Amino acid sequence: MAMAPPRKGENWELRQQLNSEYRDKRADAIKRVIANHTIGKDCSGLFPDVVKNMQTDDLEQKKLVYLYLMNYAKTQPELVILAVNTFVKDTADPNPLVRALAIRTMSVLRAEKILDYLASPLSRCLKDENPYVRKTAALCVAKVFDLKPELCVEYGFIETLRDLIGDGNPMVVANAVAALADIQEAAQALPPSPPPSPGRSSPPPSARPNSHLFAIDPPTLTKLLVALNECSEWGRIAILNTLARYKAQDQQESEHICERVMPQFQHVNAAVVLGAVKVIMIHMKNVTRDDLLKSLTRKMAPPLVTLISSPPEVQWVALRNINLLLQKRPEILANEMRVFFCKYNDPPYVKVEKLDIMVRLASEKNVDTLLGELKEYASEVDVDFVRKAVRAVGQVAIKIDEAAERCVSVLMDLIETRVSYVVQEAVIVIKDIFRKYPHSYEGIIPTLCANLDELDEPEAKASLIWIIGEYAEKIENADELLGTFLETFKEESYPVQLQTLTAIVKLFLKKPDESQAIVQRVLQAATKDCDSADVRDRAYIYWRLLSSDPAAAKSVVLSVRPPISLPQITVAPAILEELLGEISSLASVYHKPAATFIGKGRLGAEEMQRRVLEPEEEVSREKALQTVVAGNQAENLLDFDADDEPTSASISGIGADGNSLSDGRISSAAISNAAKSTNPLDELMDLFSTASMSATTAQPVAPASTVAGVPGLQPNNDPFASLSGLSSPPSAMGSGGVSPTPPQQQHQQQKQAVGGAQDDLLGLF
Amino acid sequence: MISAFFIFNQKGEVLISRLFRQDLKRSISDVFRIQVISNPDVRSPIITLGSTSFFHVRINNVYVVGVTKCNASAALVFEFLYRFITISRSYFSKLDEESVKNNFVLIYELLDEIIDFGFPQNSEIDTLKMYITTESIKSEMAVREDSSKITIQATGATSWRRSDVKYRKNEAFVDVIETVNLLMSKEGAVLRADVDGQILMRAYLSGTPECKFGLNDKLVLQKRGDQVAKSDGAVELDDCQFHQCVRLGKFDSDRSISFIPPDGEFELMRYRSTSNINLPFRLQTHVTEPSKSKVEYTIHLKASFDPKLNANNVVLRIPTPLNTTGVQAKVGVGKAKYVPGDNVIVWKIPRLQGAQECTLTAEADLAATTHRQAWSRPPIQVDFSVVMFTASGLLVRFLKVFEKSGYNSVKWVRYLSKANGSYQIRF
């Protein structure tokens, strides 16, 4: 202490107490220090005084001092050395609790100095006779690896850990497995090559941990399967995670694993159940025996349903995962729709998810009950949920042809409530129904038009305008209706402007005599008074088409659009496979590969990572893009297969995009993704979806983006056009722009839309 | 793996903070405060910002939060948070701001034990209480010196039981508690009726007893070719989940439930049943809106269980429109009161005999409003508890205890069916 600390204030008082001769006074002071730390006060100044209290028989006091050390060792690296002696002594204490506590604490102090003293006590503790100490030490290896990987290699800790998998105690096995998995992950996160900065001394190559730190061989597998049934719930999760990574040698082994894991479905801990589901989903792929497959799917359903009665948060995780599982195996819960009925007091996030699953499970048999439910939900208070319920009605209509009529009548009932947001959502949904069943329910159009004044949201407006345009020949006062929108043309949002424009052109093509004037007006307005390039472009194209070749205009604007359908999966098949291998993880909750939301750099290495990788990343990305464009063989910069490259480069942008979507191996995703997608906009979109992650449900919206469906409006004819139009920000959506969707939804919408847009383009040529 | 654990109060102040990994700074807690606590519209229990994910559970007036930076198992994090809540409850009865503040030292001590480097460790309350003690628990078991025994138990194959348990009188209490879930439509059709059951056991048995537990499980009875299975005596369990002491492999092969119980109270199993549910209460509703300023209710409640049994604490919550100004209610049994804060009429019946019927008639006066939005009519909720009644029809057939010393044990079984917000009837 260079400066004498002030002789007053709380810290001074505490210091007095910490040095008090009375034991309980000291104990009390330590507690106060911890309390101060918790509320964010800096107590680092008391370091030497607290450390003095380390040597004590009172285990509770010792724990508190250790807790203090954990928090402040980093700020006082010089003084930590004061504590080393006691630590080392404690690791040899006769009391196993003390030994474990000491080794546990010592390994998280994060001070270079202390690490050197840690090695020998740690190797001793790894071989301790007491399993409690061993299991604690096992995790310490992972902690040390985090700080100084070389040390682990030098002392052979990793080999010791591997030996611990054969330990007689299941907890030790579980922790060893957990530690190894952690080390493995950390090792992968380490930069593949030593940092180029010259000043840094990189570890010798021999000391570099290789990536096969934790390979599981059949004997290990047997040990794990034995330990699985004996260890604590958390241990089971660790073991199940490891089993999920194991590549079975043959079918028999896969069957064996499935059979041994199956009983875990009955565990009370949801994480164990989901972990077991994960393992089964992975190893089931290799199983061909029919009876086993059947029994697996049969036994999987009840535990999944049971998870629905867990606390809401767990329920939500389960629901998200069930949603994923249903995309792969819709049959498992076919008869269980009722359990997914929303309770009035469910939290909103649970309700929304249940809704989605109900639509998935909808079939001809249960559709009546479902529609009754959905109608009920539509009268609830939560606007967001109500809208989703209405939307679900539309999805059911599109999914089940036989029920379409009933769905429409439910929607009409809902429109009659005249609740603004219900009506608007219903209109949007009805537009999709018209897309799927053209010319079927024209009778309801008057009712829709009667609600014109209720609509104030762009999407609803645009939908109604689209409907009017589509059925202009059947609606007598179509020109009047569209005229009202034309009057406010300048104030409307771009999607509405686009729709108004298209609808009026449609009207003109259908009834050329009456609507000459109005089409003139709209083209004028769109080309002169509009500041959106999309709207202007479209208007110019129409204008030219109409003036040069009305017949061509007709075949373009009034062409038949491909029917829409409700996709069974909301993520690309390859990603689905990947996600099913990660059931219960965050990735499976978000329905996104982990790499999209997890920074690649981890732990202390993060900063270093960033420095090393970022410039490189930019370069490599550009390089990859260039190579792809040039059609050259890409350098094997990043670790994806080189043969992949030419294919994606040779086919059009659409194909390439499909490729990057369906490529399962998004291991170092951001990079490889960027490199694979030939479209820079695509890359941009990726960035979007990473930046703004929210758990909003990406639902299988009927591809609203193709609704406008006016072909030939793309700014240019190159095959990228359909993509660029769709992946650009919503406001600028080319032909697709009816529904402004959050960026993360675009991913799949884009996929759906690509097909439609492509068709349209073909129609043009 | 969990990188950090926090407890916040409602103002967003940190009550407990513990970092397990170095990939986070303590200041990450500010992010949570800004993004979740001061955000009025949080629509997900998991928030991911950048690469950091926050998992939170709100309980009483605190937020219990787990933070991770990797693709962690979401189910594990929530299970852990809930386990922490259970453990806290068992140590200091209620988890709220005050109790956290009073017990922060204990909480840190517990955290140190139940989670290491972000991996949950031993979370068996019984074992924890052996070596993490508070004043009250200390006196109960002063066994600190044999810590090697503790550690063996904490890691052992039966981590949930000490080997040296001794009781003069060997007793086991079994409580079968069923939560009835019901969703009935306006038309009186049962949309959903199922039972979430819980079998709680309090075992006061000496030594290391091996227990076998038998239910009137249809599958088991059928397998034995019992005649009972064909009559109505058997119940069909859709799914069961067991405490970790139960040998799952054995259940998987022949559906027998065998285990070495922990000492004291624990949840032996959970089950779910959806077929042949006996609904303990039937409700007939007649609600009309004769004018814009009035709603009339006639609610007819019938207890449909055996007349020898009683239901306790029956509470009906009957929603009223939001613009209700006052309610006049008449009831034959119990008391009915309008609670303006919740917009419900609360009808409390302390005790209701089986087969008994009663009626509520009420009139709600509504204030005139300018914009008329249809009243959404949330469902009526019935809460109750009926002793010695299981809605699923589940019965405990036997509980056998085998112990080396061959002592005799006394077993007690109780049944209870209840609903707590899960029994909903639309009208």
Side-chain angles (χ1 to χ4, degrees), chain A residues 135-152:
Chain A
K135 72 128 188 157
T136 311
L139 279 184
C140 290
V141 177
K143 296 179 197 172
V144 173
F145 188 88
D146 198 21
L147 292 169
K148 208 174 175 190
E150 310 88 270
L151 195 76
C152 286

Side-chain angles (χ1 to χ4, degrees), chain A residues 355-375:
Chain A
L355 209 55
D356 212 35
I357 292 175
M358 278 193 274
V359 174
R360 269 185 197 293
L361 295 176
S363 69
E364 225 178 299
K365 267 188 281 171
N366 55 25
V367 72
D368 283 325
T369 341
L370 174 60
L371 284 176
E373 275 302 292
L374 292 176
K375 209 172 148 185

Side-chain angles (χ1 to χ4, degrees), chain A residues 38 95 110 130 132 143 175 182 233-234 266 270 302 306 313 338 373 379 382 582 584 586-587 590, chain B residues 1 15 22 26 48 71-72 74 82-83 108 113 116 121 123 147 151 191 239-242 272 376 426:
Chain A
T38 303
N95 185 338
R110 299 197 73 79
N130 191 302
Y132 184 83
K143 296 179 197 172
N175 272 3
D182 195 67
E233 47 201 314
W234 313 112
Q266 252 62 52
T306 303
E313 289 85 0
R338 279 161 192 269
E373 275 302 292
S379 65
D382 182 29
E582 291 183 17
S584 104
L586 260 181
Y590 283 137
Chain B
M1 300 147 292
L15 303 180
Q22 316 300 327
R26 199 176 170 281
T48 298
N71 184 20
Y82 273 101
R83 184 62 48 84
Y108 278 125
E113 197 51 50
D116 189 9
Q121 299 291 306
S123 58
S147 46
T151 52
L191 296 173
D239 186 31
C240 323
Q241 291 174 309
F242 297 100
R272 196 165 50 79
S376 67
R426 296 180 184 154

